[in-house]
Amino acid sequence: MKNLQQKLLRLPEVKATTGLSKSSIYSRISEGTFPKQIPLGPRLVVWVESDIQNWISEQVSAARG
């Protein structure tokens, strides 16, 4: 088994990290252009930090050509 530590982010942290609003995040998820959330409970979802960081890197790469 790999010894990986992955941090889980809640919505406020994802919003602060990406600069996107809640509605933009969920809109992009439905379009398939943003990492999907992981449900942990009936009213709790999280995102894997590395997925968000990879998405940011892809956005920067696309913008810079």
Side-chain angles (χ1 to χ4, degrees):
M1 185 172 174
K2 293 181 183 178
N3 187 15
L4 297 178
Q5 291 185 351
Q6 294 190 353
K7 184 175 178 185
L8 300 177
L9 305 177
R10 294 182 71 176
L11 183 60
E13 295 169 298
V14 175
K15 287 170 49 180
T17 302
T18 62
L20 296 173
S21 67
K22 177 181 177 179
S23 59
S24 292
I25 290 169
Y26 282 102
S27 175
R28 289 171 187 237
I29 289 170
S30 24
E31 293 168 357
T33 60
F34 194 82
K36 283 192 157 196
Q37 70 275 38
I38 299 168
L40 292 184
R43 296 184 57 195
L44 174 63
V45 296
V46 296
W47 286 260
V48 178
E49 182 180 38
S50 60
D51 291 347
I52 300 302
Q53 293 300 329
N54 289 339
W55 179 85
I56 291 170
S57 295
E58 291 169 6
Q59 302 310 300
V60 171
S61 293
R64 292 185 175 166

